[in-house]
């Protein structure tokens, strides 16, 4: 049953993903925007609707965390860039999430936390304690992880009579991504080889942690105990100079990378996730073209290809927004995709 009143939602951060989420929340009658937290000083005091090209909402953006914690709200869409992305302390995100949960607000985050049990009982106990204090729930989601590398393959295994191996591939084109902070400083495109390894060290650690969560979640759901999650990565150098939204890629600098995460059982891969990132897919022929693929090897063998998700960040935001009602209705505690009903596009249909 849908809620009897609009759910009050706080948008925490308004970057690439958060901006899409904010637009969705404002546009839907089943939600009421309760507040917006921003990091950019230029956004403070700006009307939330005007920030994303919509009409005035009367809700002004703030950078005051205490003010957000004091708000009366059902759910917070927590969507900052993870602190660990750039070598920051991952505990920063944990502290913010626990404070929100303890204040009586459910939290949906795109900073990880799709399967917090990967990190052991210490983190789980801390998150569960915050949930118990506030009577709230925590859910981590997105598009990958959050859907492509966990929910979708799990759904496909329901057709399996015998399961030998799960393979998931994401290939993304960053040609139009405007953020140099993400494209160059984080992923390492435009970097010289001698600078690349150091530049992406925080990203490597975060990627390993993030996709370990996803692989561990799938293994747990299927009753498999992994020995370890192994990570390998490599990069490609540009042969010619070309321009992307985030800057100029010069010859001899990094223009693509490939990351592979394998959940191993007795030295054999149970599940493999391959992530390919390209500065411009039209200029980089090595590795797979943009899109998603899932292969379930066994009986029967199943192959599913998604050739295009035109706005992947919008999809990540929408998956979080479409989970709000079920997270708010769930019992308190950590709630993964294994604990919640399927998130659907209810409330998004436009026939006119």
């Amino acid at each position: 049953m849908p809620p009897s009143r609009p759910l009050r939602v706080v948008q925490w951060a308004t970057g690439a993903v958060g901006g899409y989420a904010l637009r969705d929340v404002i546009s839907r009658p089943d939600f009421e925007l309760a507040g917006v937290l921003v990091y950019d000083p230029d956004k403070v005091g700006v009307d939330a609707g005007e920030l994303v090209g919509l009409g005035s909402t009367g809700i002004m953006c703030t950078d005051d965390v205490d003010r957000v914690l004091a708000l009366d709200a059902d759910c917070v869409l927590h969507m900052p860039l993870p602190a660990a992305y750039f070598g920051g302390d991952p505990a920063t995100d944990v502290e913010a999430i626990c404070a929100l949960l303890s204040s009586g607000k459910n939290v949906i985050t795109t900073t990880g936390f799709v399967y917090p049990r990967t990190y052991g009982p210490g983190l789980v106990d801390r998150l569960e304690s915050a949930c118990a204090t506030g009577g709230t729930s925590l859910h981590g989601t997105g598009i990958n992880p959050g859907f492509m590398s966990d929910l979708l393959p799990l759904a496909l295994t329901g057709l399996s009579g015998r399961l030998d191996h799960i393979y998931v591939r994401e290939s993304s084109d960053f040609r139009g991504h405007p953020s140099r902070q993400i494209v160059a400083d984080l992923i390492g495109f435009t970097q010289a080889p001698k600078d690349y390894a150091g530049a992406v060290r925080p990203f490597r650690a975060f990627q390993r942690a993030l996709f370990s969560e996803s692989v561990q979640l799938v293994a747990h759901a299927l009753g498999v105990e992994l020995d370890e999650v192994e990570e390998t990565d490599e990069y490609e150098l540009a042969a010619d100079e070309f321009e992307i939204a985030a800057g100029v890629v010069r010859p001899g600098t990094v223009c693509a990378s490939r990351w592979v995460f394998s959940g191993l059982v007795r030295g054999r891969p149970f599940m493999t996730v391959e992530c390919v990132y390209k500065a411009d897919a039209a200029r980089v022929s090595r590795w797979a073209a943009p899109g998603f693929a899932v292969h379930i090897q066994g009986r029967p063998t199943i192959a599913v290809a998604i050739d295009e998700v035109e706005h992947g960040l919008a999809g990540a935001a929408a998956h979080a927004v479409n989970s709000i009602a079920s997270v708010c209705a769930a019992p308190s505690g950590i709630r993964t995709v294994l604990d919640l009903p399927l998130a659907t596009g209810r409330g998004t249909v436009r026939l006119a």
Side-chain angles (χ1 to χ4, degrees):
M1 291 287 293
S4 57
R5 61 168 176 80
L7 293 170
R8 287 177 54 79
V9 179
V10 172
Q11 180 60 49
W12 183 291
T14 58
V17 176
Y20 280 117
L22 178 58
R23 190 176 292 109
D24 288 347
V25 169
I26 293 172
S27 300
R28 287 175 53 170
D30 46 337
F31 302 126
E32 177 186 347
L33 185 64
V36 179
L37 184 125
V38 295
Y39 290 89
D40 185 345
D42 292 338
K43 296 179 180 179
V44 175
V46 176
D47 186 280
E50 295 173 0
L51 185 67
V52 291
L54 301 177
S56 175
T57 63
I59 302 295
M60 302 302 170
C61 299
T62 181
D63 59 358
D64 187 337
V65 172
D66 290 335
R67 182 177 174 184
V68 171
L69 289 172
L71 288 172
D72 175 23
D74 297 289
C75 187
V76 176
L77 294 172
H78 178 260
M79 296 176 172
L81 285 176
Y85 254 19
F86 299 99
D89 186 354
T92 302
D93 291 327
V94 177
E95 290 171 3
I97 288 171
C98 285
L100 290 167
L101 292 168
S102 297
S103 74
K105 301 171 187 61
N106 299 288
V107 175
I108 299 173
T109 182
T110 55
T111 62
F113 302 93
V114 297
Y115 192 61
R117 289 170 180 81
T118 298
Y119 306 111
L123 177 60
V124 169
D125 291 347
R126 187 176 177 189
L127 293 171
E128 289 284 6
S129 177
C131 289
T133 298
T136 51
S137 298
L138 168 66
H139 178 58
T141 190
I143 190 168
N144 190 42
F147 185 82
M148 296 295 183
S149 60
D150 28 51
L151 183 57
L152 180 57
L154 274 176
L156 293 174
T157 65
L159 303 176
S160 296
R162 189 194 73 238
L163 181 56
D164 300 326
H165 180 245
I166 299 172
Y167 165 82
V168 178
R169 183 185 69 234
E170 169 194 359
S171 181
S172 299
D173 187 347
F174 283 80
R175 174 180 53 191
H177 201 300
S179 172
R180 184 163 181 82
Q181 186 182 36
I182 297 294
V183 176
D185 299 339
L186 179 65
I187 299 177
F189 296 158
T190 76
Q191 300 273 1
K194 64 182 180 63
D195 302 321
Y196 175 79
V200 302
R201 188 175 292 116
F203 184 54
R204 179 178 289 112
F206 178 76
Q207 285 279 86
R208 179 182 174 86
L210 185 66
F211 284 99
S212 290
E213 286 191 63
S214 187
V215 172
Q216 291 279 9
L217 182 147
V218 173
H220 172 77
L222 296 174
V224 174
E225 185 171 344
L226 299 178
D227 297 323
E228 63 174 317
V229 178
E230 181 181 74
E231 178 267 325
T232 60
D233 61 270
E234 56 185 319
Y235 59 82
E236 178 80 347
L237 300 180
D240 303 300
E241 181 175 306
F242 58 91
E243 189 171 352
I244 58 177
V248 177
V249 180
R250 292 184 168 83
T253 64
V254 175
C255 65
S257 58
R258 177 178 176 266
W259 305 72
V260 179
F261 308 89
S262 297
L264 304 179
V265 178
R266 295 186 296 277
R268 297 184 59 184
F270 153 74
M271 180 174 179
T272 302
V273 179
E274 176 187 7
C275 295
V276 174
Y277 305 131
K278 300 185 179 188
D280 183 345
R283 306 298 294 264
V284 181
S285 59
R286 191 180 180 191
W287 301 317
F292 294 88
V294 179
H295 294 257
I296 309 294
Q297 295 177 342
R299 188 183 64 244
T301 292
I302 304 167
V304 173
I306 300 175
D307 293 331
E308 182 180 12
V309 178
E310 185 180 1
H311 296 290
L313 299 178
H319 201 220
V321 173
N322 290 333
S323 300
I324 292 173
S326 60
V327 171
C328 289
S332 67
I334 296 169
R335 295 289 165 243
T336 73
V337 294
L338 306 178
D339 306 307
L340 298 174
L342 180 67
T344 70
R346 182 187 180 96
T348 68
V349 178
R350 301 291 183 266
L351 299 179

